[in-house]
Amino acid sequence: MDFKQDESYTPQRILIRSGTTLHDLQDLQEITLNEPMGWLDIDLNDGETPPGPLRANIIQLSILTNHQNGKDSHLRQLKIKAPKDQIKLEDSEAVIPFSSDEFQMFSDLR
């Protein structure tokens, strides 16, 4: 985000929700931004101790208000990152090797 470039198109309050369906979304965080510049890192852990990765089918990012009461928003790119865990087959110690070109092609969200 770049407040100097976007001015009233820059989000000021953002609400992040997660859940398994659209009907059971839970509020995770509400973030208030003051003239943001550059990337914004938001930690989405599961709220447990010790914190672990968020487990959800849906992550919803809602822009509640913009700076200067703007009506539209500009978000040029959104990256969601997660730890890469080894997945084990049921009743086995074998690890699924996600190393083929076909699997690697879908390893990142754009």
Side-chain angles (χ1 to χ4, degrees):
M1 288 185 268
D2 188 357
F3 177 76
K4 289 182 181 179
Q5 185 176 0
D6 296 332
E7 295 179 354
S8 66
Y9 293 98
T10 306
Q12 184 176 26
R13 284 182 44 227
I14 297 173
L15 178 64
I16 300 173
R17 298 181 182 113
S18 71
T20 55
T21 68
L22 287 174
H23 306 291
D24 72 346
L25 293 176
Q26 303 272 327
D27 293 353
L28 287 180
Q29 291 184 27
E30 184 174 329
I31 302 162
T32 302
L33 306 171
N34 186 19
E35 299 183 6
M37 291 281 294
W39 287 99
L40 176 66
D41 291 332
I42 302 169
D43 186 16
L44 300 178
N45 62 38
D46 59 4
E48 295 180 7
T49 305
L54 176 68
R55 298 184 189 283
N57 293 334
I58 297 173
I59 298 175
Q60 183 183 67
L61 185 122
S62 300
I63 298 173
L64 303 177
T65 60
N66 289 328
H67 283 80
Q68 303 171 351
N69 293 323
K71 301 298 179 198
D72 296 325
S73 296
H74 282 182
L75 287 180
R76 289 184 176 76
Q77 189 172 18
L78 176 68
K79 292 183 180 182
I80 298 176
K81 298 182 179 183
K84 288 188 175 183
D85 292 335
Q86 294 289 331
I87 299 173
K88 293 188 178 185
L89 298 172
E90 291 182 23
D91 300 328
S92 173
E93 293 298 318
V95 175
I96 301 173
F98 291 112
S99 58
S100 70
D101 290 337
E102 293 167 350
F103 281 122
Q104 291 297 325
M105 185 172 21
F106 299 105
S107 67
D108 294 327
L109 293 175
R110 292 183 187 236

